[in-house]
Amino acid sequence: MKKQLTINYEWLNHWKELPESEYILIEKAYEAVKDAYAPYSHFKVGAAVLLEDGTIIKGNNQENIAYPSGLCAERVALFYAGANYPNATVKTIVVLAQGDLIAQDECVSPCGSCRQVIAESESRQKEEIRIILVAQDGKTWVFNSIKDILVFPFGVK
């Protein structure tokens, strides 16, 4: 039996095509990327998470000389949210990067570990998380759920 998977996402020429209500979240991700600790890769990633009550949590990648002891921006933000707002629903996460490891017009996509953490966050809160990925030139991909970029999550229904 053959099966086919499809994904749904929105592709925008620039993040300013999004509703103005999401601008602040993207601006917070840009703030976060500036403070990323990336002395080894020189590839900085910033994330901003919007909680249901309007709280915005910033995260950025934190490298460590004892690789792989560092942590990605997405997990920094989501784990902070889980530790400090354990009953809050995550509505949206924005992820963007700066550096030479990715083309200016390509969006950085969450790594497998981050995808799994987003999947478990969705499962735990029983609600999808909007994912906004922004390229260095402003191009933007928008996903309504992690299910569109992680099709077979580990242990998550």
Side-chain angles (χ1 to χ4, degrees):
M1 175 185 304
K2 288 186 180 182
K3 294 190 176 198
Q4 183 176 0
L5 296 171
T6 58
I7 66 165
N8 295 301
Y9 69 101
E10 190 176 353
W11 188 91
L12 306 170
N13 282 317
H14 198 276
W15 60 265
K16 290 198 174 176
E17 294 178 38
L18 290 166
E20 271 189 57
S21 60
E22 294 184 307
Y23 287 16
I24 185 94
L25 192 59
I26 292 164
E27 289 166 359
K28 292 294 182 183
Y30 276 113
E31 287 177 14
V33 81
K34 291 177 189 173
D35 294 324
Y37 181 69
Y40 309 105
S41 71
H42 306 287
F43 188 70
K44 295 183 172 196
V45 181
V49 168
L50 175 66
L51 302 181
E52 64 188 338
D53 69 355
T55 299
I56 296 174
I57 296 166
K58 297 187 297 185
N60 46 41
N61 59 319
Q62 298 293 310
E63 293 182 350
N64 190 285
I65 196 166
Y67 180 84
S69 296
L71 201 58
C72 300
E74 300 94 309
R75 285 182 281 157
V76 168
L78 287 168
F79 289 157
Y80 183 93
N84 293 283
Y85 303 90
N87 299 313
T89 298
V90 175
K91 302 302 281 182
T92 306
I93 184 169
V94 172
V95 183
L96 53 85
Q98 294 177 345
D100 295 336
L101 294 179
I102 193 166
Q104 294 285 312
D105 63 347
E106 288 293 323
C107 295
V108 66
S109 183
C111 72
S113 294
C114 290
R115 291 175 191 213
Q116 183 64 40
V117 168
I118 296 168
E120 187 147 339
S121 296
E122 282 189 359
S123 177
R124 184 174 59 212
Q125 69 186 24
K126 296 176 180 48
E127 189 172 317
E128 294 179 336
I129 297 171
R130 181 172 165 90
I131 302 163
I132 301 172
L133 308 177
V134 180
Q136 293 178 81
D137 72 354
K139 285 186 180 64
T140 302
W141 299 344
V142 181
F143 301 87
N144 289 321
S145 171
I146 194 63
K147 295 175 190 104
D148 285 320
I149 57 175
L150 178 64
V151 294
F152 296 112
F154 181 79
V156 176
K157 306 262 187 260

